[in-house]
Amino acid sequence: MLRFTAHKILYTADGTVPLNVSFVLKKGECAALFGNSGEGKTTILRILAGLTPADKTIILADGEVWDNSENKIHLPVRKRSIGFVFQDFALFPHLTVKRNLEYALPKNSNAGIIDELLEMMELHLLQNTMPHNLSGGQKQRVALARAIVRQPKILLLDEPLSALDDEMRFKLQNYILRARSQYNLTILLVSHNISEIIKLADRAMILAKGKIQKEGKPVEVFPADYPAGECKLTAKIIDIKKSGTVYTLKLIADGKPLTVTATEEEMAGLKNALP
Amino acid sequence: MIDIEPLLLTAKLAFITTIVLLVIGIPVAHWFSFTRFRFKPALEAIITLPLVLPPTVLGFYLLLAFSPENAVGKFLHHYFNIRLVFTFGGLVVASVIYSLPFMVNPILAGLKGLPRSLQEASITLGKSGFITLIKILLPNIRVSILTGVIMTFAHCTGEFGVVLMVGGSIPKETRVASVALFEQVQNMNYHTANIYAAILIFFSFSVLLAVYLLNDKFRKTHIL
């Protein structure tokens, strides 16, 4: 179990915002932080990792004190059992895929996990490839695998899929789910993408004005605050019918048929996708 | 026939200075790259000062400092029996101080050019700052290190003002190629002076050419 409490003044374009956040993560749970840019989601991950100092902090991981500002305890980053997947992946450019993973392996650890992760992330054919020869999705899988090598107490994912297109995003969400169930990972995810949070997280925390305004199961948290009639998906259009000013579209999404309506304006935006 | 001794002494001075500066320059540049020390700009200015200062100014103050009559010189002489004025050891110390920016600045630029997340990724994987520096940061700034090494070596071979002030012109001890060239001109031996000068020009050109070729090659092969 991980307990997190932090207070920090954030300096944003609109002035200062006091960040006051407190939450508990259960072992094996995946929680997501959702909110607008500049609300401090990434800062929370960085405070948890020890990369960014806060004014007041208490972090306890399975009873071990990582931070306690009152007692001036600050466990160095390298001593915290964390896996951090950065937005830019941060792969080591001079090391092959396999050596990126091997670098993360602690001394006297079972090296078998490297092959296991290469296999799980379908990277075994790319293990001797240098990072600059990988696609965005492949880089993300390497970054994810590397963060899991140490089997950390908590995996921190900082918008790990934001740089990818929707199709790749969907595939990679499945890799995260697979890794989570295989290693019983506790995950704190930062994401802007509601469908991603619904798919990956057990709990969503909506961050606004420096505080967690709402939290709960993603399906329960989001519809009340966000328009339920809109969604974003990757699908193939198989039929279009016009009735008045509204269009009815038949789609195939993830192998399943779906019918949606669209306005003239929305259809104009779909111009390139029309059959 | 020219005396080859000043050329060998120049190479020896440049080699030792470069090695010493490599050992000193990497940790100094690393510290500068992440520190938030409030007087950092002042320290950066001090390190870069030799780039803009007339060498004779630095040489003059080093001469005073190393003199057995003054604090530093007296301390070294009294406790360690070391004399730095007009000795090869003194030349090395002076060259290290004078060439510091040629090593530190390229390495610092290389480190600052790396994404911060590389260093952060390494420490979140449980690695110490030292391991991160050796295994992650330095391999990714190879061109910067190589540039620092070559520029330091080349700069040392061309040193004149500091060397003359601190070392004078003692054969086989402090008479390096640039000083030997100056003496040949003073003695009107233009032919010998010409040979020394031509060797120094050829060497400097070769070094700069090597730097540009290496930079080009590394960029083309995607190696940072």
Side-chain angles (χ1 to χ4, degrees):
Chain A
M1 184 184 281
L2 186 131
R3 287 179 184 277
F4 178 91
T5 303
H7 172 79
K8 184 179 172 68
I9 301 293
L10 298 178
Y11 297 93
T12 67
D14 303 324
T16 57
V17 178
L19 181 72
N20 265 312
V21 172
S22 197
F23 58 81
V24 174
L25 280 180
K26 289 180 205 148
K27 196 168 173 56
E29 184 184 19
C30 177
L33 279 167
F34 178 86
N36 292 330
S37 295
E39 292 288 358
K41 304 181 298 296
T42 297
T43 305
I44 291 171
L45 290 198
R46 293 179 61 86
I47 292 171
L48 215 166
L51 293 169
T52 296
D55 305 323
K56 286 180 189 169
T57 339
I58 297 175
I59 303 172
L60 288 168
D62 292 344
E64 185 184 23
V65 183
W66 284 4
D67 262 309
N68 187 329
S69 51
E70 278 184 21
N71 297 334
K72 296 191 173 171
I73 296 172
H74 176 75
L75 194 70
V77 180
R78 65 190 169 88
K79 292 191 174 168
R80 301 179 186 213
S81 178
I82 49 168
F84 202 122
V85 177
F86 294 81
Q87 278 184 45
D88 66 353
F89 313 126
L91 298 182
F92 305 132
H94 62 299
L95 301 178
T96 61
V97 167
K98 189 171 185 180
R99 289 195 60 209
N100 259 278
L101 268 61
E102 285 170 344
Y103 181 79
L105 192 69
K107 277 181 189 169
N108 307 321
S109 298
N110 179 12
I113 192 169
I114 304 280
D115 289 326
E116 198 176 291
L117 281 165
L118 287 170
E119 197 73 34
M120 178 195 285
M121 300 289 170
E122 296 178 52
L123 290 166
H124 47 286
L125 293 175
L126 297 168
Q127 58 181 297
N128 296 318
T129 307
M130 300 305 281
H132 65 260
N133 288 324
L134 299 174
S135 68
Q138 290 164 342
K139 283 180 185 169
Q140 201 279 344
R141 270 142 64 195
V142 179
L144 183 63
R146 189 182 64 180
I148 299 171
V149 168
R150 291 173 78 201
Q151 301 194 42
K153 279 183 183 163
I154 181 159
L155 183 64
L156 306 170
L157 307 177
D158 187 8
E159 299 196 43
L161 311 178
S162 60
L164 309 173
D165 61 49
D166 288 344
E167 197 176 343
M168 188 56 72
R169 207 176 176 124
F170 183 79
K171 279 186 187 171
L172 287 163
Q173 287 164 359
N174 292 338
Y175 283 104
I176 294 173
L177 285 175
R178 206 181 300 168
R180 186 190 165 193
S181 87
Q182 171 91 11
Y183 298 104
N184 190 28
L185 296 169
T186 306
I187 300 174
L188 184 58
L189 163 77
V190 163
S191 178
H192 273 114
N193 190 308
I194 296 172
S195 66
E196 186 168 287
I197 292 176
I198 290 172
K199 183 168 177 180
L200 296 177
D202 306 311
R203 182 158 54 107
M205 296 182 275
I206 298 178
L207 193 67
K209 295 174 184 169
K211 286 182 181 161
I212 294 173
Q213 304 287 352
K214 195 168 187 182
E215 66 178 304
K217 285 186 179 176
V219 282
E220 291 167 5
V221 167
F222 287 114
D225 291 284
Y226 298 89
E230 287 179 15
C231 70
K232 197 172 181 183
L233 53 83
T234 304
K236 188 177 168 71
I237 301 169
I238 50 170
D239 187 38
I240 301 172
K241 275 186 184 151
K242 192 177 180 189
S243 17
T245 54
V246 178
Y247 289 84
T248 304
L249 281 74
K250 284 193 176 169
L251 313 173
I252 295 287
D254 197 20
K256 290 169 189 157
L258 195 67
T259 304
V260 296
T261 55
T263 61
E264 290 269 8
E265 197 182 1
E266 285 164 342
M267 285 304 291
L270 283 173
K271 208 161 56 180
N272 293 334
L274 297 179
Chain B
M1 187 66 186
I2 63 157
D3 180 8
I4 200 161
E5 198 65 43
L7 291 169
L8 293 177
L9 198 64
T10 301
K12 185 178 162 191
L13 176 66
F15 181 74
I16 294 172
T17 303
T18 305
I19 297 295
V20 172
L21 271 179
L22 194 59
V23 174
I24 296 172
I26 289 173
V28 169
H30 184 232
W31 183 79
F32 271 115
S33 72
F34 71 80
T35 187
R36 290 177 184 173
F37 183 54
R38 59 192 290 207
F39 299 116
K40 179 182 162 187
L43 291 177
E44 280 185 306
I46 289 171
I47 283 185
T48 310
L49 207 54
L51 280 179
V52 292
L53 209 60
T56 44
V57 173
L58 190 67
F60 171 64
Y61 283 117
L62 287 176
L63 182 66
L64 289 184
F66 294 167
S67 164
E69 304 299 314
N70 292 320
V72 179
K74 194 185 274 181
F75 173 80
L76 290 172
H77 190 66
H78 188 75
Y79 290 100
F80 302 102
N81 198 26
I82 293 173
R83 188 186 157 92
L84 291 179
V85 175
F86 304 124
T87 62
F88 183 74
L91 279 195
V92 171
V93 175
S95 292
V96 164
I97 294 169
Y98 189 54
S99 299
L100 199 57
F102 289 87
M103 184 66 84
V104 171
N105 288 354
I107 296 176
L108 182 57
L111 289 172
K112 281 182 175 174
L114 289 178
R116 189 89 179 157
S117 58
L118 281 189
Q119 185 252 345
E120 291 181 342
S122 177
I123 56 170
T124 59
L125 293 171
K127 307 301 175 192
S128 66
F130 180 72
I131 293 292
T132 300
L133 175 68
I134 299 296
K135 292 194 171 177
I136 302 299
L137 303 183
L138 296 185
N140 284 300
I141 57 160
R142 279 175 289 188
V143 173
S144 304
I145 295 172
L146 201 60
T147 303
V149 165
I150 292 174
M151 293 304 286
T152 302
F153 193 89
H155 181 247
C156 282
T157 60
E159 252 177 50
F160 177 71
V162 172
V163 167
L164 193 65
M165 292 290 260
V166 176
S169 176
I170 302 166
K172 298 186 180 180
E173 181 70 23
T174 62
R175 187 189 288 163
V176 294
S178 57
V179 175
L181 164 65
F182 178 68
E183 283 190 345
Q184 294 301 326
V185 173
Q186 278 197 316
N187 295 333
M188 309 286 277
N189 294 329
Y190 282 10
H191 177 67
T192 313
N194 196 15
I195 296 173
Y196 279 127
I199 290 173
L200 288 176
I201 288 174
F202 176 75
F203 176 76
S204 301
F205 174 77
S206 306
V207 162
L208 290 174
L209 186 66
V211 170
Y212 287 117
L213 286 175
L214 279 170
N215 270 317
D216 207 35
K217 186 185 168 193
F218 278 122
R219 276 202 196 99
K220 278 179 186 162
T221 52
H222 300 280
I223 299 168
L224 292 168

